[in-house]
Amino acid sequence: MQLPVQSQSALYAESWEAAAGPVDLVAIARAADRYGFAYIACCEHIAIPRRLAEAMSTVWYDPVATLAHLAAVTERVRLLSHVAVVGLKHPLVTAKQYATLDRLSGGRLILGVGAGHVAEEFEALGVDFERRGAVLDETVDALKAALGPEEFPKFAGERFAFEGLGQAPRPVQTPRPPVWVGGSSPAAVRRAAERGDGWLPQGDRRAELPAQIGKLRRLREAAGIDEPAVIGTIAEPLYVGEPGWEVGRRTLSGAPERIAASLREYAAMGVAQIQVRFRCRSRSELTDQMAAFGTDVAPMLNG
């Protein structure tokens, strides 16, 4: 699941999140650890322009700092950047941060990457917004080298080149932490197929997913990559049980059996991991929902 509190866009944040903070994040991360969630995720924006602040808010916690903090209070749950806008930084800087996170967490990092969409962030940092796709492609290639097994990695590209420069600590995971590519545009699907270990769709409805997955698999085969990508999705908002309050018409609610049956439809499409979000009016209601899902729904999804 994507963590609440750490990003508070008006599109999805619940009202209680505005007054929440680090204590709440720790409690939610521990609940994810306790109830068998595969990962907790944190996304990235560096600075929000005034024109977007009302819709997006300016609350965006840094993913490396946040996930490192939560790594120290959890034991099993994996730590996903969903997504890091890695084209905004030199890949050696990003590699240093995320290799350290993987080491501190005992090998629990999943590096999710995306192109970004806020032009002013790129302009402020001196990165060409119009060329962000090409920059991301090369950055991913450079990161895969820099996060690999070599203490002194080597890479030569159009924008970045390095060799003879050592970085330690190295990641725990070998040959490197997985890289999942986010986004559902044609360029993002191509990038996930050709460069990613996994794909994180953004906004695809159920009816759209089979065609997108088919396209990704064809592109991956054409690129000569035998290893299958880990295909994900973001499910509809969930509420386990009868809510007794207005949760929205798109929310999937009711008995655990009903929710599990609906979510199993994703597996038939080729989806391997589902990101869930629960409607809730407080942190305690959220962690209760996580407990109900982990205890009553998840066992009907696996196997």
Side-chain angles (χ1 to χ4, degrees), residues 126-150:
V127 182
D128 187 350
F129 179 72
E130 297 302 325
R131 296 281 295 162
R132 67 192 183 282
V135 171
L136 177 56
D137 283 346
E138 185 171 319
T139 301
V140 170
D141 292 343
L143 281 170
K144 288 164 73 174
L147 290 170
E150 299 299 326

Side-chain angles (χ1 to χ4, degrees), residues 99-100 102-103 145-153 166-172:
T100 303
D102 195 62
R103 175 62 57 174
L147 290 170
E150 299 299 326
E151 181 181 355
F152 291 85
Q167 287 191 326
R170 304 304 302 155
V172 171

Side-chain angles (χ1 to χ4, degrees), residues 1 11-14 235-239 275-279:
M1 63 179 285
L11 292 175
Y12 50 74
E14 302 283 7
E236 301 86 349
L238 304 178
Y239 195 94
Q275 189 173 123
V276 294
R277 179 172 72 86
F278 302 97
R279 294 303 319 275

